[in-house]
Amino acid sequence: MDTRTQLLDAAEELFAERGYNGTSIRAVTNLAGANLAAVGYHFGSKAELLAAVARRVIEPINNAQREGLDRLLGRTAEPTVAELVEAFTGPMFDGMPAGDERSVRRSRLLVTILGDPADEVRNWMGPVEDAVRDRYLEAFRRALPELPIEELWFRIKGVLAVTTVDRLEPQGDAARRWAVTFLAAALSAPPTAPD
């Protein structure tokens, strides 16, 4: 295995366990069995290392989400909320199968990314991830026109959170159906009344 891959594997494990601020470059290089300068050489910085780790985990999921949305919109111009939830969450269930240790670690990493307040964790996304997010946001907005965009985005982040947390303690094959039913209902709830 090459040094770059060893660094990515070590960083994925440590970021998932300790978060961004709790993971030092020294800890990553020690676990990877690499020279301290290797992170700088291969990635430039700790923040870029995190971005590479996140993209390695997210890229196949994003690709499957994009393809799922393309298929769905090819079948119907007005998909239901449940169909959109399935297209959005299905790749997370498929890409992180129940009972797989690597999937649990990757799910833990996603939970960390969702909850870590560090700016470096919040700013790793690039144009590819933004494009998938924006397409889903627009599709959900068309399906749920009564929701203010800020509330819709908040609910979509909840979809991500529920799906990634389920992968930590998977409930078996039924969990996917339960999640789609629950999340479609949560997304479809009436807008929150203003104060």
Side-chain angles (χ1 to χ4, degrees), residues 47-153:
E48 287 302 315
L49 173 61
L50 172 69
V53 167
R55 284 191 186 100
R56 185 174 77 159
V57 171
I58 297 295
E59 189 173 274
I61 293 169
N62 271 178
N63 288 339
Q65 287 173 321
R66 186 186 67 251
E67 291 165 4
L69 186 58
D70 289 345
R71 280 191 305 276
L72 180 58
L73 294 176
R75 286 195 322 262
T76 178
E78 296 184 24
T80 66
V81 173
E83 290 171 325
L84 288 167
V85 168
E86 172 61 38
F88 188 68
T89 62
M92 288 183 268
F93 283 98
D94 296 339
M96 297 185 291
D100 177 67
E101 182 55 37
R102 188 171 194 189
S103 296
V104 170
R105 184 178 62 243
R106 288 185 165 188
S107 185
R108 195 174 297 124
L109 175 70
L110 294 177
V111 169
T112 298
I113 288 171
L114 287 171
D116 195 317
D119 286 340
E120 296 86 353
V121 177
R122 301 258 175 232
N123 297 321
W124 68 269
M125 292 176 59
V128 172
E129 295 83 13
D130 289 344
V132 172
R133 179 202 62 213
D134 292 347
R135 286 189 65 210
Y136 271 97
L137 188 58
E138 178 59 23
F140 277 115
R141 191 195 60 71
R142 284 193 315 271
L144 299 162
E146 69 284 356
L147 280 180
I149 194 73
E150 297 83 7
E151 185 170 355
L152 177 58
W153 178 235

